[in-house]
Amino acid sequence: MASLGVTPRSEDYARWYTDVVQKADLADYSPVRGCMIIKPYGYELWEAIKRELDRRFKATGHQNAYFPLFIPMSFMEKEAEHVEGFAPHLAVVTHGGGQKLDEPLVVRPTSETLIGHAFSKWIQSYRDLPLLINQWANVVRWEMRTRLFLRTTEFLWQEGHTAHATYEDAQEETMRMLDVYTDFAVNEAAIPVMPGRKSEKEKFAGALASYSIEAMMGDVKALQAGTSHNLGQNFAKTFEIKFLDENNELKYCWTTSWGVSTRMIGAIVMAHGDDKGLRLPPRLAPYQAVIVPIHRTAEERATVLDAAERIRAMLDDGGVRVILDRRDDVTPGYKFNDWEMRGVPLRIEIGPRDVQNGTVVLARRDLPAGQNKTSASQEGLVGRVIELMDEIQANMLRQATEFRDAHLHEVNSYDELKEVVRDGWALAWFCGRPECEDQIKADTGGATSRNFPLDQEGGEAKCVACGRPAKEKAYFAKAY
RNA sequence: CGGGGCGUGGCGCAGUUGGCUAGCGCGCUGCGUUUGGGACGCAGAGGUCGCCGGUUCGAGUCCGGCCGCCCCGACCA
């Protein structure tokens, strides 16, 4: 590679992002337009995300299942808003086994229709409710413009689908999963997301109400990092998901769906990355610590590697995800930069001096060069490292929160809003009308409502854009 | 789909108004010296210049068409 580092963020943020994703070995382009190859290091990160989300899904009573990739075209067409929303993005299979199919098959862009169909067969009684299902799957959406992890033609995600007896139960589920996503983003990914309700214009095709967690990226743009939808009875009516209640009355179910995708990896890259590359939160990092041995002579090499291996085994036993970089063909300096680019939270250096003193040098990825190195005793190192993981995790969340808050502004006038969204997020009274949102988008060069935050102070005021009555405030920002 | 940029060893690029054996850096292989912030020497391997057609004595270079990729917009997780 001509340049070993990445393009500085200030020079070209989009280029920086692409550089980091590729040079940190997360993903590569594929022969097919818009598709990506997730490389082992990137996939391990995804596995960590899956692990933490799945744990939370199970803890809230959900079970995993798997539904097919192909959906009959007619299913997609049953729900009017849904087909309108997804039709432009569908990949359609017209031939199979060399024969033209009687009915084209859609490669799932999302599975509400197919799962709705299955639910209609599974549910008869109120005793079958709630039905709480999740699936981990790939989906395909033929988007105009793609970017690694942020928007690819095929992507990996989880989609939760649930059915309930009442609106209240469905709404409670919708909010519960939004909470799960918020908790995951804040406590695992160290991203201080903003949970809230989507506007009429931004909500999911076919939903009663959509909720999202919105994350601020390093260029201040917003990224929708997860969504939770109350689908009302729209899909239940379309797919005949009915049950007999306690009074022997036949009723339609209330359903929800919610999803988080590989886009979360893009969110982590852009929420935490710096000009040296990736910075991973310890709780999700494939490697939480890397040991870099330093030596000159053959004897030094032997004693240093011996000590390094002992420390590696110690940390491994202590539950730390650790790797010992034994490469002989590159210098320690190269390794330092290499692992920094890959975002490993903690580097443990060990050289002849350390072996003699019974110490190691600890270098934190979350602190700036010059104030990130300390010496530590090998004795009690496991405890110290585990402690540091928590410190680094907390510090990354603190850094991201400070950055977010520095770019969040409450505004009281339209002029103020237009000014703020150039380099920040604006919180403003908003009537929620699509026409009004279109106007704001046109006047601001692309800013859209992100969501209505959950914690509203109440009251009523004039919409910042049109002056009509508004009951809530919404965040506005340019978004990915 | 509109605007911009780009296709030359694995990666990043140079290649003048067409000209002789297509170069450079990084990476890769071997040997030796190195190693506390991106090491160095020597010897090697690796190319139908995106594809098709045309102009010409001669095309990486000029012309036409096609394909692909990246970035910016409209659309979206």
Side-chain angles (χ1 to χ4, degrees), chain A residues 442-461:
Chain A
D443 290 344
T444 55
T448 51
S449 78
R450 298 327 305 155
N451 61 31
F452 293 97
L454 298 181
D455 49 336
Q456 295 282 342
E457 59 202 57
E460 189 174 310

Side-chain angles (χ1 to χ4, degrees), chain A residues 297-349:
Chain A
T297 64
E299 302 94 275
E300 278 181 3
R301 181 173 184 280
T303 53
V304 166
L305 276 180
D306 197 53
E309 171 53 31
R310 197 165 38 74
I311 291 167
R312 190 205 62 76
M314 221 162 68
L315 289 167
D316 189 57
D317 283 348
V320 178
R321 296 190 291 277
V322 60
I323 183 172
L324 168 57
D325 189 346
R326 291 174 161 276
R327 286 179 291 179
D328 271 330
D329 53 335
V330 289
T331 62
Y334 181 93
K335 292 178 182 176
F336 294 171
N337 287 287
D338 195 36
W339 290 109
E340 279 166 5
M341 185 154 67
R342 289 172 151 73
V344 175
L346 183 69
R347 181 176 68 244
I348 302 171
E349 305 172 17

Side-chain angles (χ1 to χ4, degrees), chain A residues 393-422:
Chain A
Q393 181 82 25
N395 189 44
M396 287 181 70
L397 178 60
R398 184 163 50 241
Q399 288 172 345
T401 305
E402 279 168 12
F403 181 82
R404 181 198 69 184
D405 292 344
H407 294 276
L408 275 184
H409 305 283
E410 213 164 325
V411 301
N412 294 306
S413 73
Y414 201 36
D415 283 342
E416 235 184 306
L417 181 140
K418 284 188 278 193
E419 181 59 33
V420 162
V421 296
R422 287 161 74 168

Side-chain angles (χ1 to χ4, degrees), chain A residues 279-299:
Chain A
R279 294 197 316 158
L280 293 175
R283 293 187 60 90
L284 296 178
Y287 302 119
Q288 297 175 306
V290 56
I291 303 171
V292 177
I294 297 152
H295 45 76
R296 292 169 209 274
T297 64
E299 302 94 275

